[in-house]
Amino acid sequence: MRYFLTVPPGLETLAKNEIERKLQAKVRIKPFGLAGHLLIDYSGKEENLLKLRGVYNVYRYLKCFKFERLDDLYEKVKKVEIGIGKTFRVTSRRSGTHDFTSIDVQRIAGKAIAEKYGRKVDLKNFETEIEVDIIDNKCWVGVKLNRENLSWRDY
């Protein structure tokens, strides 16, 4: 299974070393050229990912695809298989120059997912948080595994 992790920018190598040492996972630093991000292949228990000390957020990586317009994004997100609860929300970050905002991405992706699964969007009391990030003309979709940023936890 693939996972997308956010880490403190500049500390990617430290996080990579921790992951390789503790989980024996394959780690790619700065996927898509994004500082503070890791892409890993890991076949163990997901809860082990949430115990990593150098990680902010953990996402189950579902799909990556190219797109040209928001209409394309709608159709392609609708094809992604997502394990989803009764309620969900979509969050998004963008990198690159676009004629749309992150809010537009959230609205379009949320509409596609709601139509496909017949579920309701709930921005505060959601069961599933779906990440739909845009990097230039690429999009990756994932499910966030942690509710709060892991840097806020007590050790």
Side-chain angles (χ1 to χ4, degrees):
M1 176 88 47
R2 279 195 149 168
Y3 297 90
F4 199 73
L5 289 77
T6 61
V7 302
L11 299 180
E12 296 91 351
T13 301
L14 285 173
K16 176 184 186 271
N17 292 341
E18 177 190 14
I19 293 164
E20 289 175 341
R21 186 178 72 255
K22 291 182 178 177
L23 305 179
Q24 291 78 46
K26 289 180 68 175
V27 181
R28 185 171 149 208
I29 293 177
K30 297 182 184 177
F32 310 115
L34 298 172
H37 293 78
L38 303 173
L39 185 61
I40 71 168
D41 290 309
Y42 174 63
S43 57
K45 295 179 181 178
E46 284 184 342
E47 59 260 21
N48 292 336
L49 295 166
L50 300 173
K51 295 176 185 173
L52 294 167
R53 295 180 69 122
V55 172
Y56 285 162
N57 295 292
V58 179
Y59 303 89
R60 189 179 309 119
Y61 183 91
L62 299 176
K63 188 84 170 170
C64 182
F65 53 82
K66 289 185 178 183
F67 75 101
E68 293 185 27
R69 300 176 321 277
L70 280 177
D71 292 345
D72 296 338
L73 185 69
Y74 171 85
E75 292 300 328
K76 291 183 178 185
V77 167
K78 200 167 184 176
K79 292 178 183 177
V80 177
E81 292 301 320
I82 303 170
I84 190 170
K86 291 179 183 176
T87 60
F88 74 96
R89 82 172 183 184
V90 174
T91 54
S92 178
R93 293 173 289 167
R94 281 186 320 107
S95 175
T97 303
H98 305 96
D99 62 352
F100 54 84
T101 67
S102 295
I103 300 298
D104 295 328
V105 173
Q106 293 168 16
R107 180 179 45 78
I108 293 293
K111 180 179 178 186
I113 295 164
E115 287 178 6
K116 178 176 181 173
Y117 293 100
R119 301 293 199 268
K120 295 201 181 266
V121 173
D122 189 330
L123 300 179
K124 293 188 180 188
N125 298 310
F126 55 90
E127 290 182 43
T128 307
E129 184 170 357
I130 302 161
E131 188 79 12
V132 180
D133 286 356
I134 307 298
I135 304 101
D136 298 319
N137 69 334
K138 292 181 189 149
C139 175
W140 78 267
V141 179
V143 173
K144 189 173 183 183
L145 301 182
N146 53 295
R147 185 77 173 205
E148 300 288 331
N149 188 318
L150 296 174
S151 68
W152 299 341
R153 63 191 155 180
D154 293 327
Y155 288 103

